[in-house]
Amino acid sequence: MIDKSMQGSTVTRDGDPAVRSIVEAGIRLILEQQTPGGAYPASPSFSAYAGYCWFRDGSYIADAMSAAGHIESAERFFDWCSIALTSRAERIRRIVAESLAGRPVAGDQMLPTRFTLDGAEGSDDWWDFQLDGYGTWLWALAEHSARHDRPLERWAEAIALTIDYLSVSWERPCYDWWEESAQHVHVSTLGCIASGLASIAQTGLIEDSLSERATSIADQIRQRVQDEGVKDIHLTKWLGTDTVDASLLSLIAPMNFLPPHSPLSAGSIAVIEERLTVDNGVHRYLADTYYGGGQWPLLSCFLGLAQAASGNTTRAHELLEWAASTAGPNAELPEQVDYHLLDPDYLQPWNERWGSSANPLLWSHAMFIRLAIALGVPYDTAEPTPAPAAKENAK
């Protein structure tokens, strides 16, 4: 249970044991929950998430584990992604061929956003056609490779399939991060795709023809966002609107779709601070009704990463402290908290449908770890995989 007496307040300093213990507990939780096959379950207990792994959530979790030095954990997840893709190679090639022939397949025939922990597709209905996760896995893989000087050969086929898939699909409307608004082309989705394509191309470790195509598509996406996804010097929730969404923060940091010191980054941070942030807790978007539209610790951490990247580390520390204040007695971080609900009437209907919202959420822990590392928070953890040993094992 979350101690609401701490809501919205500065309850600790990130050099103090409280913050360090959340970082350490998060790393332990992620390592304990990761399956032998490499999947990171979204949440071990929440009814709608248990037993599933998302490419998006998992990629951010792998990035956090990579940043924390857990090379083997991150690479087992990348292996899991690779198997999910290569085992569907013929399906992906058919999607690409039909798209190039002007006959794009229906959304329910596209790749899903989440898989069971063994890499199968779920049998229950879900809002599955989402593209951002496939860009995010490329980005996380490229970041990991650069961070630890790791080769990419073992994932070469999966990388090529992903580039092919995204090259013919990026312009399509699909569900957003929140499994909503499938009729729109979402700016955060476009940014995740472009960041993944550009990052993997910049490694210099993939074939020249693939690299050139990935770079070309990333450039086209940047132009599309500039032309249709910007309003009053800030990014927008989807193309052709003036509303905003906190998922846009990821495009500033850690994904670096926007230069963090650019006017567009500054404007996007400012509007999200003004419209979506209350007492350091960040809402998804203003019309949110999911569990009443609460505040998400992982989004406060994304805002903290964006602020830190733009040079405002004082603000980033405040946001990390707020996220720490949402931790329960076992240092577990929830998906969201109900300190400040946008529409309280919707809290009980969601509780009746799925039970209390996810707690713990591994993605929340990942973003807390990532922000803490970005701010230089000291911590102790299980022994990380040393890069030289990991390289030897990979040969």
Side-chain angles (χ1 to χ4, degrees), residues 79 81-90 92-93 155-159 161:
D79 289 341
C81 292
S82 180
I83 292 169
L85 290 159
T86 56
S87 65
R88 294 167 174 81
E90 288 307 312
I92 293 171
R93 293 187 184 107
W155 305 294
E157 182 184 359
I159 291 169
L161 287 167

Side-chain angles (χ1 to χ4, degrees), residues 312-360:
N312 192 348
T313 56
T314 297
R315 180 70 181 128
H317 283 293
E318 293 172 351
L319 291 156
L320 181 66
E321 290 166 356
W322 182 86
S325 79
T326 69
N330 295 323
E332 293 183 339
L333 292 171
E335 178 180 71
Q336 62 176 297
V337 293
D338 59 2
Y339 303 168
H340 181 271
L341 295 178
L342 295 171
D343 198 332
D345 290 343
Y346 281 86
L347 177 59
Q348 188 57 32
W350 280 106
N351 281 329
E352 292 172 356
R353 179 177 182 179
W354 280 343
S356 299
S357 62
N359 188 5

Side-chain angles (χ1 to χ4, degrees), residues 162-317:
T162 306
I163 292 171
D164 288 345
Y165 179 69
L166 293 175
S167 294
V168 300
S169 305
W170 68 269
E171 295 182 276
R172 293 184 58 158
C174 66
Y175 290 106
D176 63 7
W177 272 28
W178 319 123
E179 276 115 13
E180 297 174 349
S181 304
Q183 71 273 31
H184 295 293
V185 176
H186 301 275
V187 173
S188 58
T189 296
L190 292 177
C192 289
I193 294 171
S195 294
L197 293 172
S199 296
I200 207 72
Q202 290 164 8
T203 63
L205 299 175
I206 63 173
E207 293 180 5
D208 288 347
S209 59
L210 279 175
S211 179
E212 290 168 5
R213 183 146 49 90
T215 300
S216 174
I217 296 296
D219 289 344
Q220 292 176 53
I221 292 173
R222 288 183 181 280
Q223 189 61 56
R224 183 80 179 274
V225 169
Q226 186 62 50
D227 292 345
E228 301 178 50
V230 175
K231 180 73 172 180
D232 298 330
I233 321 182
H234 67 76
L235 294 175
T236 61
K237 183 172 172 64
W238 55 67
L239 299 182
T241 187
D242 61 357
T243 60
V244 294
D245 190 290
S247 61
L248 296 166
L249 293 164
S250 67
L251 307 188
I252 301 168
M255 299 190 77
N256 202 34
F257 175 77
L258 296 180
H261 295 283
S262 67
L264 189 51
S265 288
S268 299
I269 291 170
V271 74
I272 289 170
E273 286 271 20
E274 177 186 353
R275 298 185 190 177
L276 300 181
T277 308
V278 178
D279 295 331
N280 298 330
V282 180
H283 293 283
R284 300 193 301 174
Y285 58 96
L286 280 179
D288 188 13
T289 60
Y290 179 63
Y291 281 92
Q295 296 160 299
W296 290 50
L298 69 89
L299 293 177
S300 288
C301 291
F302 271 114
L303 179 55
L305 285 165
Q307 290 283 16
S310 66
N312 192 348
T313 56
T314 297
R315 180 70 181 128
H317 283 293

Side-chain angles (χ1 to χ4, degrees), residues 9-30:
S9 63
T10 299
V11 298
T12 185
R13 294 293 170 191
D14 31 340
D16 286 353
V19 168
R20 293 200 303 271
S21 67
I22 296 171
V23 172
E24 293 161 9
I27 292 172
R28 287 195 302 271
L29 175 69
I30 290 168

